[in-house]
Every structure is written in C-alpha cells, then in structure tokens.
Amino acid sequence: MDTTARDRIVITGNGQAGVQLADSLRAAGFTGDITLVGDEAAFPYQRPPLSKDYLAVRDGGAAPAPLPLRGEKFFADARLDCRTGVAVTGIDRNGHTVNLSDGSVLAYTKLVLATGAANREPAVPGAGLAGIHGLRTLADAEAVHRRLDTVRNAVVIGAGFIGLEFAAAARARGIAVTVLEYADRPMARALSRPTSEWFAAAHRQMGTALRLGEGIASFTGDGAGQVAAAVSTAGHTYPADLVLAGIGVTPRTELAEAAGLAVDNGIAVDASLQTSDPDIYALGDCASYPQAHAGARLRLESVQNATDQARHLAGTLTGTVPAGPYAELPWFWSTQGALKLQIAGLSAPGDQTVLRGDPRTGRFSVFCYRDGALAAVESVNQPADHMAARRLLAAGRTLTPGQAADPDFDLKAYAKRVPTSLGT
Amino acid sequence: MAKITFNHAGGDVDVLEVEPGTSLMRAAVTNGVAGIVGECGGQAMCATCHVYVREEYLDALPEISDDEDEMLDCTVEERTDRSRLGCQVTVGEGLDAVEVDLPESQV
Ligand SMILES: Cc1cc2nc3c(=O)[nH]c(=O)nc-3n(C[C@H](O)[C@H](O)[C@H](O)COP(=O)(O)OP(=O)(O)OC[C@H]3O[C@@H](n4cnc5c(N)ncnc54)[C@H](O)[C@@H]3O)c2cc1C
Ligand code: FES
C-alpha cells in the first residue's frame, strides 16, 4: 500500500486482537505509525492460561508471571507505540482524534476498536461481598491465585468454559468445589448434548459437585464482609470461602455507543470488519459480524476469532490481500484438568450428532450435522480428529455420518486430500 | 541458566539464556524471538510453536506424547524427524543447552 508518514493507525485495546493486528500490519509492510492503547496496567499478555496453568503454579504465594502476547523487544523492533494503563475515553469522528485518560489526544487515519469484553457480575443479594471473583484479567487471576493456598470450599457460578477450567484446577489442589448451573447441562451454549453430558460426568468424577438446574439466589457473609456461603435457587446453602463467577461477558461497546456507532450485541461491523463509520473498524470479542458459517450476525469469544480477524483486517488495511469478506472457520479449545476439548465449526441446537470413538476411553469426537452436511466437530483428547475436521470444514467438505462413525474410516487421510493450508 | 539457540529460516540467529524449566515457546515469546507464535499458550493445541531440533540434542529430549504427536502432523511446514512443539520441550535438567531451526511459517 502507499503509506505516507502521516498514516496513523490507532488501536484501542492491546489484547489478543489488538496486538495481532499490530504484528500483522507490520508483517504486511505497513510503515506508518501504530499506537496501541490499553487500559490494563500489565504489558500485553495471553488470557487463556489464566484459568488453566496459571492457577496450578504453586510457589509460596508469589504471583506467577503471565505469558506475554509478545516480548517487549518485539514492540520495540516493530516500532509499535504500546501504551499501558491508559484508556481511550472518547472518539471525535469528525476530527479523527481520540481522547485518552491521561489527557492526551491522538490523531488517527484509521481507528480500530479491539476493546474485548467485561465479566458479567452476579446481580443477587450479597454480590458485593469480598471473596467473589471474576476471571478475565491478570489482576483477576492474581487475586484468585493468591487465595488458592488457603481456600477450602469454592463455589463456581456458571458451568461455562472458564468456570469449569477453574473447577478442574481447584480440584487438582484438593479444594472442594461446587458448581451451580441454571441450565440442565454444562457449556450448553457451545456444546452438543452428548459432549456436554460427557463433561458433566467427567467433572463429577474429578470430585466436583455439579448442581444442574440450580442458579445462584444470594450470598451470605461471615459478618466481616467476606463471603461465607452461596444460596441456590433451589434453596440449598453451600459453604464458600471463595466464589468464582463465570456467568459470561458483555462486549465493551461503551466507546462505540458514545460515538454513535451501530451496536448490536457488540460493535456492529460488516463482513470486512468495518463499523458504520468507514474509518473505524472493530474486531475480536467486542464485535458482532455476519458469520459466514452460521449465516447470522454473531459475536465470538475466542483466540482464533481475535487473531484471524486481525490478520484479515491487516490485509484489508494494507491492501495486501484481495478485499473480501472475513470467513475463517471458527475453532476453539478448552483445557479442563486432563480433559482437552477442541471444537471446529459452530454447532447449533437441533444438529444431528454422530459419535466417533468410545467415550468410555476418554477419547472421542462428536460430529454435528445440519441439513445433511457436516457443521461442527467436538473432540475430546483427540487432536487428530480436530485437525482433520478443521481441514474439511474450512474447505466446505463433508463426509457421511456412516464414514464419521466408522473406526476403520481413515479420517486423516481423507482430510489430507483437501487442497488447503490450515489456518490461513 | 540454560542456553537456547534459535536459527531463523532467513539465517539470523537468536541466543537466549533462560531459567531452567522454561519451555522453548515461552522463552521465544517472552524475549521477542520472531518465528514462534504460541497461540494456545502452551497447551499443545495449536501447533504454532513448531521447531526443528538439531540432531545432537534429539536424544536428550523428553518423549513425544500422543497429543504432541498428533499436533505435529498438523504443522504448516512439513514435519520431519527433528520436529517438536516448542511448548512441550523444556530446558533445564538433562538439557542445559539446545539448538533449533525455525520453520518459515507457523500459521
Ligand atoms: C480466563 C480466560 C480463559 C480463556 N481461555 C480461552 C481458551 O482456552 N481458548 C480460546 O480460544 N479463548 C479463550 N479465552 C478467550 C480469549 O482470551 C479472548 O477471546 C481474547 O482474548 C479476545 O481478544 P480481544 O483482543 O478481542 O479482547 P481482550 O483480549 O479482552 O483485549 C481487550 C483489551 O482492551 C482493553 N480495553 C477495553 N476498552 C478500552 C479502552 N477504552 N481503552 C483502552 N483499552 C481498552 C481491555 O482492558 C483489554 O485489555 C479465554 C478468556 C479468558 C478471560
Ligand atoms: S503453543 Fe500451541 S501447540 Fe505449542
């Protein structure tokens, strides 16, 4: 692209999407200024380990170091102006400037919103007590980690990915764990029923008390402001010296809304990730976009979504890839103790499911079919199935339910015949 | 301290001295060594930390687990006998130095 010294891309949010975008812009040859503005104090780091390996570290109370997204040297080498502990507080769309919380004003030619999402907080009596935590940021993870050596009874609100990852990590430390989940199965929003039910049994096997069909009604304190118990909608009381709320997130749309940009379950962008202002883009957890595989406007929360959108946008902004819609195949992983879940594609309620492998061995995949074609594959401790599924789904290919279920059908070889490269 | 030598596809070399117990992926990502992505944070889930370990260090490496083996079949650059996932190889005891070649691309 023709970049002049005056080209200046300002990226709001230096998380997974923002940092990947900066990296990919430089890789694509963008020579203008790139400024990343992040409101967290920490240097950009990876979130996924926070609910997994990070909680397993035992070293006498010291907070473990997070895994950085890139090293400081990378930012210097790539001439990226990465600011931490500073928020973008307002956008002047006409003037093409943003205001920062430290009083400074930055001019932009293109503005990118990569603001992520914020934890939803339980709205029940007692929710303000100490000892009730969310898990989104490094600061959250440090606060939780600090308590793990002494906590005896943990209650998790919500059997989603983060809640269950935490539950497995806490069980591994010998902490008694109760999980309250309003739905009748865990991870119901993202998983087919067979996989979800298998995970319910597996968590119970780990010793977690998984209470399905039971939400949180209130918290009671110990008289000194610290949480002591959780009371469920079924009227049961569970002792709790730590509560982990994993009840989902809300996209951080506040800046976009204040600037009059279209918002629809996230900052609304088109298939090229452009907002209703042609000089402002949005991506990652904060943005909803027309999702090619689902055929609907969706907002996804995953590393894959953040990084693939960032690579796509870098191509668009530099003109290095032919303009086209963002249409990468969604994929996701979650590690819950020794259980490794990988999802390729997006399953939906009503999908026909076909089992490959024997769930009793702890290694299997569930193939989800919609309108006769493969739509998603959920794999447990079966990375080869997952990678084959990604290849097939990305190429828009299918296989028959009979082939999927047949242990003698060579899935890997079948997928290898697809002429495509993964992840690109 | 343990020593890791990363040979880039273009010929550049990065040499790091790191704490024992550090994985090749974490060492590279933390120190800004390009060519290793580590997108899954070390869970053997993404295969974007692929390295080719130099012959003379291969015997000192831990065995390849089933998960690593399956993910190695899915790297972007071709798998060879020297292929490992950088997040699954940790320097320290029994491996106080290691030298690897980086593939041209990871994604
Ligand atoms: C504990 C945890 C575990 C996870 N595990 C997995 C996993 O196993 N697999 C997976 O695929 N995904 C996982 N995810 C999801 C994944 O981390 C997110 O989808 C990804 O981080 C989204 O990237 P993002 O850049 O859109 O948002 P974020 O990474 O959240 O970054 C947004 C940043 O912008 C900042 N910001 C917001 N507003 C402003 C403002 N006005 N000014 C300045 N800065 C601002 C925020 O503070 C934040 O630092 C996990 C998430 C969490 C929290
Ligand atoms: S960091 Fe993902 S496989 Fe090594």
Side-chain angles (χ1 to χ4, degrees), chain A residues 13 16-17 39-40 47 52 88 115 136 285 302-303 333:
Chain A
Q16 193 91 47
D39 60 3
E40 288 182 64
R47 289 185 206 288
K52 308 177 182 77
V88 172
T115 50
R136 174 83 197 175
D285 280 17
S302 71
V303 167
W333 82 91

Side-chain angles (χ1 to χ4, degrees), chain B residues 25 38-49 85-87:
Chain B
M25 184 278 291
E39 210 152 80
C40 74
Q43 303 280 323
M45 293 278 196
C46 68
T48 65
C49 60
L85 294 180
C87 66

Side-chain angles (χ1 to χ4, degrees), chain A residues 173-198:
Chain A
R173 284 173 165 259
I175 298 169
V177 180
T178 302
V179 178
L180 300 182
E181 168 57 56
Y182 206 82
D184 67 345
R185 58 190 182 91
M187 302 174 282
R189 220 161 43 98
L191 285 188
S192 73
R193 186 169 282 276
T195 310
S196 166
E197 286 176 349
W198 186 89

Side-chain angles (χ1 to χ4, degrees), chain A residues 71 311 335 340 384 387 412, chain B residues 29-30 39 43 70 73-74:
Chain A
R311 293 184 189 103
T335 317
K340 295 186 163 195
M387 295 310 265
K412 203 162 161 180
Chain B
V29 166
T30 308
E39 210 152 80
Q43 303 280 323
E70 294 192 4
D73 280 340
C74 306

Side-chain angles (χ1 to χ4, degrees), chain A residues 252-299:
Chain A
R252 291 190 62 181
T253 56
E254 63 272 13
L255 263 184
E257 275 173 70
L261 299 173
V263 169
D264 175 5
N265 173 35
I267 305 169
V269 295
D270 65 14
S272 66
L273 308 177
Q274 197 170 53
T275 67
S276 49
D277 179 326
D279 288 328
I280 305 181
Y281 294 79
L283 78 175
D285 280 17
C286 69
S288 72
Y289 69 102
Q291 214 293 327
H293 301 84
R297 173 167 293 278
L298 279 189
R299 193 176 61 75

